[in-house]
Amino acid sequence: MTETTRYTEGSGSSEIKRTPLWLRAYTFLGLLLFTGALQRVVGGGNSLEGSVSGTVLQQSNSSIAILAMLVYASAGALLVIRHRNVMIEKSMYPLLILNGWAILTALWSSDPSRSLLRSAGLSGCSLFAIYMLNTLPRGEILRQFVNVAVFLVWTTAVLAFLVPSYSFHNSNEFFSIHSGLLKGTFEHKNTLAKVLSYLIVVIVGVGPIYIRNRLFLIITVSMAVYLMALTGSAKTFATVPLGLGAGAVLVFVNSPTTRVWMLGMAAILWFGIEALGLMDQLFSFLLSSLDRDPTLSARTLIWSSAIATATEMHPFLGGGYEVAWQDGIGRAVQSAIGIDPSHAHNGYIMAYIELGLIGSIIVFYALWTIAWRLITTVPGESKRLYFFIGAWFALFIGNNFSGSYLTQPGDIYWLQIVLTPVLLGWVTHGDNIRRNTPSMYSGEKFKDA
């Protein structure tokens, strides 16, 4: 079922087993779908000329929903056809349990059909992660992430320069308040910024393994940063150096004890500033220097109102996956701040109002186990993969403070976080992640490890 290419390097020869082209193309399509880049392209009702007359969201786009279901179904079929025994790593269990809890909330949700339909999207994404782990070589999985990242960066750049009426928000659309800001093929500039931040971490983290031309690598990263600046999403933009910095600390500080000590000292410093009442002053100064209001564009008002309402209505079991906001939380927030922002703009709070205290406990347990393994892992020769995982995890944690990306169905963030515990296992085992994966950008052929 794989293509085999022979080559000779030096005095020896080796064989490189390549995943079939059709399987690589299918994986590429699935990953592209999970980024959300196809929402307006597939059935969004928007031509390359002209503007969007309304918001195109995944749950209201029937064409994208059909395509997603086809991808989920085919991933399941491939698992059944190609493998007698499907392997699921134990490290994935906490996140898969969270997925299962989202499905169970349909039992008490005010709109069971919607909770089930949306949880199917979450489950389909998890299924795709299991398909990748069981069907593709390790290096091929990482290479596909790099392929999608490079493709999206340059496609967005081309559209931004050649078709600005399609790529930028304007005054004729639902999000006219963001007129002049880049959204690419996405429905909102913040969604593009969220994806671009992830793409930068992918390219910087594991891109050098597959992109031999360093000039092309640097230009691609620079273009991604420039495009993210055009989105005007300061909060997402700030998480990129946070993520890359965290990855660097994990790589260069070898002692797990020292890592814990550094994190502990940072926590003590943070609590000390908070106890002295200096946090608000420092935070307000930072925000004003960035020309941002202290409410984080009303986010703090949204958070306090959403938490208070959820605690009063359904604190333990939650109000139902993808339903709680429409079932009363949104109306309460709108009553408090004057507008309905459509979600909590915070992944942890969104998990609490939808999945309740039980769901939140599962969330924090799953994230804590990943964080602890990151801190205590010694990467050995897999430092670049280790750097990528650390940078990605910090990005995930940071972006969920200002956006609801933690349990978003059919989303690249959920797919990647489900894969993260397994990727950490690869680092621990010290296997060569370039195994059987020659570069598609340079024609480079790596020896079998």
Side-chain angles (χ1 to χ4, degrees), residues 17-73:
K17 296 181 180 179
R18 292 296 306 277
T19 306
L21 178 60
W22 67 269
L23 203 56
R24 282 179 273 157
Y26 165 74
T27 304
F28 182 90
L29 174 63
L31 295 177
L32 193 61
L33 175 69
F34 298 141
T35 65
L38 299 179
Q39 287 188 27
R40 290 172 61 206
V41 178
V42 179
N46 307 295
S47 64
L48 285 178
E49 300 298 334
S51 62
V52 185
S53 58
T55 173
V56 181
L57 299 175
Q58 204 165 25
Q59 59 264 34
S60 61
N61 190 333
S62 58
S63 297
I64 208 74
I66 293 172
L67 176 60
M69 289 302 176
L70 289 174
V71 169
Y72 303 152

Side-chain angles (χ1 to χ4, degrees), residues 87-96 126 129-134 136-138 141-142 145 366 369-370 373-374 377 382 385-386 388-389 392-393 415-431 433:
M87 301 296 296
I88 301 178
E89 294 282 350
K90 291 182 179 179
S91 58
M92 299 171 67
Y93 285 178
L95 290 164
L96 295 180
S126 301
I130 296 171
Y131 144 78
M132 293 179 69
L133 293 171
N134 281 268
L136 303 177
R138 297 178 178 184
I141 293 174
L142 298 175
F145 282 121
T369 56
I370 295 174
R373 287 183 64 194
L374 265 172
T377 291
S382 303
L385 176 59
Y386 185 55
F388 164 65
I389 298 171
W392 145 249
F393 188 68
L415 176 74
Q416 187 68 68
I417 199 64
V418 170
L419 289 171
T420 297
V422 180
L423 298 185
L424 266 172
W426 298 355
V427 173
T428 303
H429 296 151
D431 289 342
I433 62 175

Side-chain angles (χ1 to χ4, degrees), residues 58 63 86 100 114 122 236 255 289 291 308 442:
Q58 204 165 25
S63 297
V86 176
R114 176 176 172 80
L122 194 69
T236 304
S255 169
S289 67
D291 195 26
S442 64

Side-chain angles (χ1 to χ4, degrees), residues 293-440:
D293 65 277
T295 67
L296 291 173
S297 300
R299 277 176 170 80
T300 57
L301 304 178
I302 297 169
W303 299 341
S304 60
S305 177
I307 292 174
T309 306
T311 302
E312 180 180 349
M313 294 177 62
H314 34 64
F316 297 106
L317 300 181
Y321 181 64
E322 292 285 300
V323 170
W325 190 271
Q326 292 82 1
D327 192 35
I329 303 294
R331 289 192 297 272
V333 171
Q334 184 173 10
S335 176
I337 69 175
I339 61 170
D340 182 359
S342 75
H343 59 93
H345 287 78
N346 183 295
Y348 312 104
I349 295 175
M350 203 68 182
Y352 171 63
I353 69 176
E354 291 183 348
L355 309 178
L357 181 61
I358 295 176
S360 295
I361 291 174
I362 300 174
V363 166
F364 286 111
Y365 174 74
L367 297 182
W368 167 251
T369 56
I370 295 174
W372 183 249
R373 287 183 64 194
L374 265 172
I375 292 171
T376 56
T377 291
V378 178
E381 296 181 357
S382 303
K383 289 186 177 180
R384 185 158 292 283
L385 176 59
Y386 185 55
F387 170 82
F388 164 65
I389 298 171
W392 145 249
F393 188 68
L395 181 76
F396 180 81
I397 296 295
N399 270 350
N400 270 293
F401 276 111
S402 59
S404 304
Y405 311 131
L406 202 153
T407 56
Q408 200 168 30
D411 187 70
I412 192 70
Y413 271 45
W414 177 254
L415 176 74
Q416 187 68 68
I417 199 64
V418 170
L419 289 171
T420 297
V422 180
L423 298 185
L424 266 172
W426 298 355
V427 173
T428 303
H429 296 151
D431 289 342
N432 186 353
I433 62 175
R434 299 187 304 185
R435 184 182 180 93
N436 293 332
T437 54
S439 169
M440 70 173 293

